[in-house]
């Protein structure tokens, strides 16, 4: 046990002698202004306490710890020294704390362990903000610059769109050390939430911006049936792609209807609803208007007459082809029995044009 400690101490003395930095990990210690820095040595607490531990920055005393402690000005309530490892905690950092730090330790066996490291204090990043284009953007036509600004020490800036890293290429170009994203021309799929993440080794901040690319209206279709039963509920729906959403105007046989929704609803269809419908969709920002036509025929459901086939009654309903039914009916009434027999034979196939069974 005691030999193990002696061997590791010897190793530390050697590394301290050779490199002067072996006490600390490679690279600098990073701290945030107002935050805390830890200078952690890799010493294993020795069996016998160190005789002296002395920390300096740029040659000025921070703490010299022997039988009592001598603390440099400005460090009184900012430091904690771990006397078994020589590690130092420095709190409430200011930018002026940046510099080269050295520790010199004298062991119980009167050997010296020296180490040095560098502290870099970064201003916290604050007030992050993205500035976007002041005007409306139009797909395939406008260009946009998004600029990410913040206060503090910024070492890297990364951009994300809808949570995914944004990369250069195509219509996207980064400049000013990633501070600026230029999108030229904007495409409709460039709409979305942009986030810039600014970082330094001690802090980070994000800002976000919602970009809207206007387009359309386009890809317009009318959804809905062309034949409606009288007294049924009927919806004709005008589907269109547009940003901002299109405003609609419905015309019926060339006349204004006063309907300005995407859906044209007839809660109970009448015969006089048969005709030509037209949906006009307008994008108020692009100023574009497109139209689609749709025809609707209303089919009746009232019984015109019925034929009694004994166990079954066949009802004739009014349809668009009323005349046709009347002729059929007249023919059938002449020979009801033949019709009923025919009907019974075809019972499996019970739907026929212009008539229904009950
Ligand atoms: C900077 O950030 C650190 C860590 O988040 C925090 O402890 C500290 O108070 C901040 N400093 C200021 C000046 O806001
Ligand atoms: C000093 O550091 C060692 C090792 O990290 C730890 O075990 C010990 O508790 C510390 N002592 C004090 C007084 O913080
Ligand atoms: C940190 O330092 C500033 C001035 O440098 C002082 O005003 C503040 O009180 C200190 N805060 C703490 C917690 O020591
Ligand atoms: C360790 O540093 C002290 C002063 O910081 C110096 O006097 C001494 O010579 C150094 N010792 C070694 C072995 O580098
Ligand atoms: C970002 O900057 C814009 C203009 O430069 C300003 O209107 C906005 O309030 C800022 N937002 C934040 C969160 O600072
Ligand atoms: C975007 O910034 C570039 C310079 O980086 C400038 O040439 C271009 O005009 C800007 N575009 C817009 C739309 O502001
Ligand atoms: C942080 O910014 C300040 C002032 O802007 C500057 O003096 C300092 O050198 C910067 N620190 C780092 C680590 O870049
Ligand atoms: C259509 O017919 C219904 C009754 O069937 C009637 O109430 C309505 O006023 C008619 N509408 C038009 C535009 O003629
Ligand atoms: C009309 O036809 C329906 C079947 O679609 C039937 O239930 C009803 O009784 C018939 N009405 C008359 C008055 O015949």
């Amino acid at each position: 046990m005691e030999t193990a400690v002696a061997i590791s101490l010897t190793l530390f003395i050697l590394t301290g002698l050779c490199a002067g930095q072996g006490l600390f990990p490679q690279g600098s210690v990073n701290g945030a202004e107002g935050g805390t820095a830890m200078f952690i040595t890799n010493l294993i607490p020795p069996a016998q306490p160190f005789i002296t531990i002395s920390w300096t920055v740029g040659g000025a005393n921070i703490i010299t710890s022997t039988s009592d402690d001598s603390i440099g000005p400005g460090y009184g309530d900012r430091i904690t020294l771990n006397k078994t490892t020589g590690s130092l905690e420095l709190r409430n950092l200011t930018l002026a704390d940046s510099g080269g730090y050295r520790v010199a330790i004298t062991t119980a066996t009167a050997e010296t362990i020296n180490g040095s490291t560098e502290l870099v204090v970064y201003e916290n990043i604050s007030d992050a903000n993205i500035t976007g284009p002041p005007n409306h953007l139009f797909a395939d036509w406008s260009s946009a610059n998004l600029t990410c600004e913040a206060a503090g020490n910024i070492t890297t800036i990364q951009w994300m769109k809808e949570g995914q890293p944004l990369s250069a290429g195509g219509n996207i170009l980064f400049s000013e050390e990633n501070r600026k994203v230029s999108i030229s021309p904007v495409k409709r799929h460039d709409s979305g939430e942009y986030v810039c993440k600014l970082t330094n080794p001690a802090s980070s901040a994000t800002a976000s911006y919602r970009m809207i690319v206007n387009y359309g209206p386009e890809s317009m279709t009318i959804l809905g049936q062309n034949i409606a039963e009288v007294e049924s509920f009927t919806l004709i729906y005008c589907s269109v792609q547009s940003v901002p959403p299109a405003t609609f105007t419905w015309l019926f046989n060339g006349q204004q209807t006063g309907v300005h929704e995407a859906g044209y609803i007839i809660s109970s269809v009448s015969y006089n609803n048969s005709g030509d419908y037209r949906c006009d969709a307008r994008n108020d920002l692009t100023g574009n208007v497109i139209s689609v036509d749709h025809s609707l025929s209303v089919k009746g459901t009232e019984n015109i007459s019925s034929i009694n086939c004994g166990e079954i009654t066949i009802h004739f309903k009014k349809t668009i082809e009323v005349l046709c039914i009347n002729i059929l009916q007249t023919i059938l009434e002449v020979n009801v029995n033949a019709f009923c027999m025919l009907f019974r034979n075809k019972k499996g196939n019970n739907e026929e044009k212009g008539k229904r069974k009950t």
Side-chain angles (χ1 to χ4, degrees), residues 133 143-145 175-176 180 182:
S143 297
N145 285 336
S175 62
E176 297 172 21
K180 190 169 182 178
S182 300

Side-chain angles (χ1 to χ4, degrees), residues 12 15-16 19-25 42 114-116:
F12 288 132
T15 54
Q21 289 187 340
L23 270 188
F24 301 103
N42 57 12
N114 283 2
S116 66

Side-chain angles (χ1 to χ4, degrees), residues 77-78 92 94:
D77 52 3
R78 293 211 293 146
N92 200 9
T94 67

Side-chain angles (χ1 to χ4, degrees), residues 303 306 315 317 358:
N303 303 344
S306 26
H315 299 283
K317 295 179 183 285
T358 322

Side-chain angles (χ1 to χ4, degrees), residues 1-9 43-51 83-85 107-109:
M1 187 64 189
E2 287 210 32
T3 40
V5 172
I7 289 167
S8 44
L9 275 181
L43 296 178
I44 296 162
Q48 298 206 297
F50 296 135
I51 294 168
K83 293 184 181 179
T84 66
T85 62
T107 67
T109 56

